[in-house]
Every structure is written in structure tokens, then in C-alpha cells.
Amino acid sequence: MTATEAAVADSVAPATPARAVALLRWAPLLVGTGYFAVVLLAADTAATDLLRYAGYLLLALILPGTLVYRALRRRPHTLVEDVAMGAVVGLVLELPAWALYAWLGLAGWLWTWPAAIVAIFLAVPRLRRHWLVRDYPRRAPIGWSWTVAGAVAFFTSYLSSTFLERNPILPTSEDTHQYLDLAYQLSLAGEAKHQFPIHLPQVAAERLDYHWFGYVHMAATSLVGGIDLPVVALRLTIPALCAAAIVLTAVLGWRVSGRPAVGAVAAVLFFVIGETNFTDPVTMPFGTQASFVIWHGMSMIYSWVLLIALVAVLADVVDRRPDRPFAAIGRGAFVLAPLLMLASSGAKASSLPVVGLALAFTAVVLLVATRRIPWAVVGAGLATAAAQLFATAVLYRFKAYGMGVDPLANSLEPYWTPPPDGWPLPLVYLAVVAAFVVNMQLRVAGIGPLLWLRRGRLEPVQWFLLGGALAGPLLYLVLNQPGGANQYFTRAGFTFAVVLSAWGYLLVADRAGLTRRSGTVLGLGALALAGVLVAVQFRYAGPAAGESMFDWLRPLLWWSGALAVLAVVAAGIWLPASLGIQALHRRGAIALLTAVLVVGAPGLLMDMRKSERSPNGGAYANISLPKSRVDAARWARDHSAPGDVLATNVHCLAVVNGWCDARSFWLSAYAERRVLVEGWGFAPRVASSGAYTPFWDQELLRRNDEAFTSPTEAGLRELRDRHAVRWLVVDRSVGVESPQLGWLARLRYDNGRMAVYQLR
């Protein structure tokens, strides 16, 4: 056992009393969940909501999911794996349960689906054994548990700084601001809570061709847990999914490598080490910072949770050797994999393409290496293709949202077009590629040593992880999509890459022959280096400036060059010193790799620093969300039926040179009702043309607006009978309603700025 593994190994002496042993083993869980709860309570989450949410997680997701997972997997591995994978199975089962109950009009009874699973496992004798498993061959090492708990605590603090503290659950004044997309997410969750099939809530008749499964999870949380939807969306779901992803990453690394330390290091690389940059406020030239990706669109973290579990299951499919280092799931993998693929297909469009390429890469490598067709891998690839076809045909209805093949056009090319003055073009190309690698891929630097030490003779699961690690950046570089959405392929590839990088790190640590003492020194040195890097960036990093996009890369390039020079100097000192100091002998590689992986440590802290200076976490669209608007919307929610459609005179976030920025989502979000025409800027049909695209049905928009400006009895009757409109919501700051409206409809709510009328 290396010192790195010893750091995450069980250090409890056999003579320790049983109660003390149990306390030590459960202490990381207790401390981690306790800290998680404290952060949420500090963010104005009600204690009752937190208790309800805990009950929902334990009884409606983890319990039924764990029972089903135990019934499907062949041999137990660890309790934490059963629970973590069981939680994901619960998320998967929640989707068809919601669809069935919503289709039957019984969404309020959704809480009975986990009860039905529990009843089956109580009633069927053969299934009762899954309630209690005593023969786990392994326990989670104390060090592994504390590492995972520490990662959860760190990232929860990060979310608190960048998200929870910046975005109130409900507006507190007319001056409240909120990140634009949060209301849109909330509106989709409200649609899933009350409607089936799902439409675009801002345009009542428009079908939603989108990845919306994550918002079903939010809706189910509200329905089953009895928790107000804004609390679910703005406080509970995202931190909990992040914690689940951290645990699952640690479980995945342990499972596929047979080494707990691989999982612990992978979790740290994924959720503690950020992207590398040297600007303040931090900028992300090739994407957005990790937190921003997670909370500005929760589909990313929801898809990661499903994808990490899918990688763990597919590892069992890819490597069918009897002497593999990890416990086999068995035939149940061929049930779990398609279920996870179908769930992933509607979670995020970036997941399955990366999985499919990883499987194709693995199949080719195994075919060449063994001269036999790896039918299990081929079958998994076909299942992936089928799930992708389902998503493309059923969920997206063959809409590409502007995605197309255009290599480098939306990734690297903008940074060398036009090239900076005085730079040879080949040098510009090299600089941009180097900036991309340093910015987005430095945390996976451990992959290189793994390939070198294994001399290219990788295990099947390592080939699979390598395929995913390559597929993510490849798709990012080859595909083009407006708004830079192709970056999500890179982030899907992280789920593969961090595990392989951590594996390579442990192999380098093995060659170094670290003792417990030298391993401790290495860890303390890494922490010290991280502290120095953070201090330097806090002190010397400045804002990105310049006329061209290449100028945005200059601080990162200078920082990278400075670190490279320091590394060369350090190597020049280390090599002769190691000849006389035995403790340094053969340990230069592990010291260098540790330093390289730690370079990204300031990333998330710099993002927190940026958030402290911004009213909504540093997001790109900070919009006004007056309390009066939300009060009116929530009144409409409380006094209307779920099938009622609202109409409003608010469509534009702003009007710029006569053009409407049609990204207004607040009414459908907080009323949890469909709106005849609100803001259409995120409608799938205008995704490639932008938020300033005129509404496609001008006649419908005219009839909608006339209901406020020049209402007639016939016009209001048409809205009611043809479009199911029952309520008119007026914002007088946009336009005062016609006096005639008071004669034709009943005024039910008025707070001065806002008025709500009920059609007679």
C-alpha cells in the first residue's frame, strides 16, 4: 500500500472499542451532512423544508432505488456504492413514474410509486434479502470518507458564495435582481409539476422540444416532498445533486480501479480543482466556470449524476474478464445501462454522444488487440445509439438548435481571427491550443503518465475512460453551436477524464515509493502550493483587456509561461539535490505532477471572489425581478386551476432599438401556469436565431395584446373558449390596461403596479 492510499485507508486500531469505531466510521457522513444542512439553513431555507427534503431523498429516491439496484447487481461491493448507485436508480425510476401519473392526471399521488416498490420488496420472499446486506467485502476507508466529505463541504461553500447567497428564494423588494435563466428553469419545473405532455410554458400551445428530464425531478421533489417549487429550484436540488456527483465520482474511481484513493483523488480533481486562468474578475475563454455551468442550467449537474453512474455500469460491460479488479455487477448491468441511457438522453444532449464515441473507440481498440469482436461493447454502443435516436426523434423532434459540423469555428478559431500583430501565424495557433489545454484540461494531466507507465497496454476499462476523455474535447472542437453550447461536450468528458487522471496519479505515486511520512509531506506541500497560487492570483491578477479575443488569452499565456519557467528551475534544483538527499530520490515526477494538478486550485476561489462583487453570482444576465411581479404571479397560482392559461402584456426583457428581447419568463415561473404568449426568446424554434427574433404568430400576439389595450367582449370570449385563457395579468409599468377591461373582466388582484383580472 502506498502512502497516498494509506492516507485514505482505515486507520482505526483493532483494539478500539466498537462504539468508537462506529463513531469514527460515520463521523465523515455526519459532519458532511451537518455542514450541508447548516449552509442551506444559513441561505434562508426553512428547517421544515429541509426535513421534508431529507424525507423525500431517503424514502422516495434512495430507499426504492437501492432496493432495485441490489436486486440487479450480482455481488455487493460497499454500502456507499449501493446507496449512491441506488439514489441514481431512484432518479431513473422517477421519470416513468411521473409520466404515468401525469398522464393519468394523478400527479398528486406520485408519492405512491416508491411505496409500491417498497411493498413489492416486502411482499416477494426472494426480494426480502435485499433489505439488509451484511456481507459487504469492503468498508469505506476513513481517509476516503473524509476526503469525500471535505470535497462536498468545499463545493457546497462554493455554491453558497456563487449561487445561494446571490439569488433569494423570492424577491424581497422592487430592486431585487436575479440571473435570467433561473426563472426559465423554474417555469419548466412548474410545467412538469402540473402538465402532461410538456409544452413551452411561455407560449402555451408550443411543444417543448428540449432536454427537460431534470425539471421533472424538480417537479417530483415538490409534489412528493410538499415543498414550494422556488425552494426546490433555488435552494435544494442543485447542492444535493452536486453532493451526489462528488460521492458517485469517488465510488466510480474506486470501483473501476479497485483502489479507493483513485476515487478520492478523482472527486477532488472534479469538484475542488477548477479551470486555470489568471484574470480578476475571472473569465473563462473556452467555457464558463464550473459553478456557473451547474446552477445557471441545472441540466448539467443532473446529467453528470446519471452519466457517472452510467460510466460505472458500462465499465462492467466493457471489462468482462474474470480477473478484473472490481466487483462485477453481472447481468444486471445489461438492464441498468439502457435505463441510464434513456434517462441521460433527456437529461442533457451532450451526454450520449460522448458515451457513444467512448464505446466505439473501445470496441475498435479491443478488436485490434484481441482479434475478436467485443460483442458486449458493440451491444452497449447500439443501445446508446437507440437512446440517442429516441431523444432526437421524440424529445427534440430532429431539431438541431443550430448545432452543426464546423471544426474550430466556435471553439479555437475566434482567438486567432484576426491574428495579433507581430505574431507568426503558426505561433498563434500553438498559443491558442496551449491556452485551451491549460485552461480546460490541466486537471486531467495524470492521463499522460498513465499511458507512459502502461506502455499503451491499457485495461479495457482504461481504454473506455480514455475514449470518453478524448471524445468530449473532440466534439467541442468539431461541432459548432450558437452561444457556445458545444462546451458541454468537454464537461461531459470530464466524468471519464478525472478518473483516468487520478489513476495515473496513483501509478506515479506507486513508482515514487512514498512512505506515510513522505506522503504527508507531499500533501502538505500541495496545500501550501495551492495557497501560494491563490494568494498570487488574488494580489496580481487583473481584468481581461484588449481589442481582440486573443487578448483575453494573454494573462493565461503569461501565467502559464511563468509557471513553466519555475518548473524548469525547480527541476534543475531537484535533480542534483536528489543525488544527495534520499527522500527526494525518484520522487521528482510525483512532485511535478502534483504541482501541475494543483495549478487550477485558484479557479473556484476566484469565481467566489467574483461572485462577492456581483449581485447574482457573476452571471452574464442580471435582470430585475420586482417583488410586485412575483407577488401577482403567486397570487394567480394560488387562485387558478392548473389547466388555466394566463395572458399578459409583458413579453420583453428590454426593447433595444425597437427590437424586443423576448426573454421574459417570470410569470410562467412563479405562477406555475402556461401563458398564452409571454417571452419566446428560448423557444426551440428560435434557438438558432436569437432572442430578438419576432414572434412567429403575429396574429395571436395581436389578439393577446388587444385584450389589454382595446378589449372587446368577442375578443375576450375567443381567448377564453379557443385558448383556455382564464386570467389576464397586467404590468402597468409596461402599459396601463384599458378602462374598458374593468367592465368586461373581474379585477381580482391589484398591488398598484400589477393587476390580475379574471375572465367572466
Side-chain angles (χ1 to χ4, degrees):
M1 178 183 293
T2 67
T4 308
E5 288 179 296
V8 294
D10 191 347
S11 59
V12 181
T16 306
R19 289 185 178 180
V21 171
L23 180 61
L24 287 173
R25 291 194 179 281
W26 290 96
L29 175 64
L30 297 175
V31 172
T33 54
Y35 183 80
F36 183 89
V38 167
V39 170
L40 292 182
L41 291 171
D44 297 325
T45 309
T48 52
D49 286 337
L50 199 57
L51 290 173
R52 287 175 178 269
Y53 188 60
Y56 160 76
L57 291 178
L58 292 172
L59 301 178
L61 283 185
I62 294 175
L63 176 59
T66 300
L67 291 172
V68 173
Y69 178 71
R70 284 174 172 174
L72 290 173
R73 59 116 170 93
R74 180 189 300 170
R75 293 195 303 269
H77 183 230
T78 62
L79 174 61
V80 67
E81 178 183 301
D82 273 5
V83 173
M85 293 293 290
V88 181
V89 173
L91 286 174
V92 173
L93 296 177
E94 183 178 68
L95 294 170
W98 165 84
L100 176 62
Y101 281 72
W103 178 63
L104 294 174
L106 300 173
W109 290 82
L110 187 60
W111 61 270
T112 61
W113 85 260
I117 298 292
V118 168
I120 292 172
F121 276 79
L122 286 173
V124 178
R126 291 181 57 187
L127 297 177
R128 290 175 188 164
R129 61 188 176 91
H130 298 300
W131 280 92
L132 184 62
V133 177
R134 298 183 181 275
D135 56 342
Y136 287 112
R138 300 168 184 84
R139 290 180 175 179
I142 294 295
W144 181 94
S145 300
W146 278 115
T147 302
V148 173
V152 169
F154 172 81
F155 205 79
T156 303
S157 299
Y158 174 44
L159 287 175
S160 176
S161 174
T162 58
F163 171 48
L164 302 178
E165 296 175 14
R166 314 298 162 198
N167 297 281
I169 298 172
L170 294 172
T172 56
S173 71
E174 294 299 284
D175 296 326
T176 299
H177 284 69
Q178 188 187 77
Y179 171 58
L180 170 70
D181 285 18
L182 295 178
Y184 181 68
Q185 294 182 75
L186 183 59
S187 74
L188 298 186
E191 174 75 6
K193 181 177 177 180
H194 299 292
Q195 306 291 342
F196 186 86
I198 286 182
H199 285 194
L200 181 72
Q202 291 79 35
V203 183
E206 184 80 355
R207 174 172 165 168
L208 182 64
D209 304 320
Y210 191 62
H211 48 252
W212 44 261
F213 285 6
Y215 306 105
V216 169
H217 170 57
M218 283 186 176
T221 304
S222 180
L223 287 167
V224 177
I227 308 169
D228 196 16
L229 203 49
V231 177
V232 173
L234 297 174
R235 287 298 178 269
L236 301 174
T237 298
I238 292 170
L241 288 174
C242 289
I246 292 169
V247 175
L248 282 162
T249 300
V251 166
L252 169 63
W254 183 357
R255 158 167 276 280
V256 300
S257 68
R259 305 176 68 168
V262 170
V265 173
V268 171
L269 292 177
F270 204 169
F271 286 93
V272 177
I273 303 298
E275 285 81 36
T276 305
N277 213 327
F278 197 73
T279 54
D280 184 16
V282 65
T283 56
M284 295 306 300
F286 302 102
T288 50
Q289 190 55 276
S291 170
F292 185 49
V293 166
I294 286 167
W295 64 259
H296 94 289
M298 60 82 63
S299 58
M300 185 78 262
I301 187 60
Y302 179 78
S303 70
W304 271 347
V305 169
L306 297 170
L307 182 56
I308 295 166
L310 177 58
V311 172
V313 172
L314 288 176
D316 194 82
V317 174
V318 165
D319 194 345
R320 308 298 294 171
R321 298 173 303 163
D323 60 340
R324 56 191 147 181
F326 50 89
I329 295 177
R331 294 180 180 178
F334 294 96
V335 177
L336 288 168
L339 290 175
L340 288 164
M341 289 172 183
L342 287 172
S344 295
S345 72
K348 192 77 172 175
S350 54
S351 293
L352 289 186
V354 174
V355 172
L357 285 180
L359 288 169
F361 176 82
T362 307
V364 171
V365 170
L366 294 182
L367 175 63
V368 172
T370 65
R371 301 291 192 270
R372 290 183 297 178
I373 298 176
W375 289 111
V377 180
V378 172
L382 293 175
T384 306
Q388 183 63 51
L389 179 61
F390 162 79
T392 302
V394 178
L395 299 179
Y396 311 136
R397 291 200 299 174
F398 299 101
K399 289 184 174 65
Y401 300 95
M403 179 77 74
V405 177
D406 194 356
L408 307 182
N410 197 31
S411 52
L412 304 187
E413 185 177 327
Y415 295 96
W416 62 57
T417 307
D421 294 336
W423 285 61
L425 198 56
L427 184 59
V428 175
Y429 293 156
L430 181 62
V432 173
V433 171
F436 169 69
V437 172
V438 171
N439 176 233
M440 295 294 288
Q441 300 295 321
L442 209 56
R443 74 180 83 187
V444 303
I447 295 177
L450 181 140
L451 297 177
W452 174 263
L453 294 174
R454 299 281 303 188
R455 299 294 189 268
R457 295 187 291 273
L458 305 187
E459 300 172 10
V461 70
Q462 291 173 330
W463 285 118
F464 175 56
L465 294 173
L466 179 62
L470 295 173
L474 176 65
L475 289 170
Y476 167 70
L477 296 173
V478 170
L479 299 177
N480 178 23
Q481 188 172 22
N486 50 330
Q487 65 160 304
Y488 298 126
F489 292 111
T490 301
R491 299 188 181 279
F494 282 166
T495 57
F496 298 79
V498 294
V499 175
L500 199 59
S501 181
W503 205 336
Y505 182 79
L506 264 293
L507 292 181
V508 176
D510 291 345
R511 286 178 61 88
L514 297 176
T515 63
R516 183 180 294 272
R517 180 179 179 180
S518 58
T520 301
V521 171
L522 180 67
L524 293 175
L527 289 174
L529 176 60
V532 170
L533 293 173
V534 170
V536 169
Q537 291 208 20
F538 272 33
R539 175 64 179 84
Y540 295 105
E547 298 180 357
S548 70
M549 291 187 67
F550 184 84
D551 291 332
W552 296 5
L553 303 181
R554 292 181 187 271
L556 175 61
L557 293 171
W558 283 112
W559 178 236
S560 303
L563 292 177
V565 170
L566 289 175
V568 171
V569 171
I573 296 173
W574 186 289
L575 289 175
S578 65
L579 299 177
I581 304 175
Q582 184 62 31
L584 302 183
H585 185 59
R586 298 185 62 185
R587 290 171 180 167
I590 188 62
L592 176 61
L593 182 56
T594 301
V596 170
L597 294 176
V598 167
V599 166
L604 302 182
L605 295 173
M606 294 298 291
D607 204 22
M608 294 168 70
R609 179 181 172 93
K610 175 183 177 181
S611 299
E612 292 173 357
R613 304 169 179 171
S614 305
N616 68 329
Y620 72 87
N622 177 31
I623 66 167
S624 174
L625 187 66
K627 182 177 184 296
S628 57
R629 278 186 168 180
V630 173
D631 287 346
R634 286 171 68 82
W635 186 94
R637 181 201 66 176
D638 295 340
H639 294 81
S640 62
D644 290 353
V645 175
L646 313 182
T648 184
N649 66 332
V650 184
H651 311 297
C652 308
L653 181 65
V655 178
V656 181
N657 297 325
W659 292 89
C660 173
D661 180 350
R663 294 179 295 172
S664 177
F665 314 126
W666 60 270
L667 180 56
S668 52
Y670 289 94
E672 299 177 24
R673 299 291 182 267
R674 290 176 178 172
V675 182
L676 182 63
V677 182
E678 191 182 5
W680 56 89
F682 280 2
R685 70 165 72 199
V686 301
S688 60
S689 52
Y692 289 93
T693 304
F695 188 58
W696 55 88
D697 189 342
Q698 287 293 311
E699 177 60 24
L700 177 62
L701 182 61
R702 181 189 63 80
R703 293 198 302 270
N704 177 96
D705 292 347
E706 285 181 350
F708 301 92
T709 59
S710 53
T712 64
E713 184 176 353
L716 295 181
R717 184 185 307 112
E718 181 185 14
L719 292 184
R720 182 191 64 200
D721 297 342
R722 182 177 177 184
H723 300 288
V725 174
R726 296 292 183 270
W727 304 85
L728 305 180
V729 181
V730 185
D731 186 337
R732 291 170 178 146
S733 69
V734 174
V736 178
E737 72 272 28
S738 167
Q740 190 68 18
L741 187 59
W743 294 96
L744 299 174
R746 180 185 174 192
L747 179 62
R748 294 290 306 279
Y749 177 87
D750 191 335
N751 65 18
R753 172 175 176 163
M754 305 296 302
V756 181
Y757 289 84
Q758 184 178 14
L759 296 187
R760 301 182 188 276

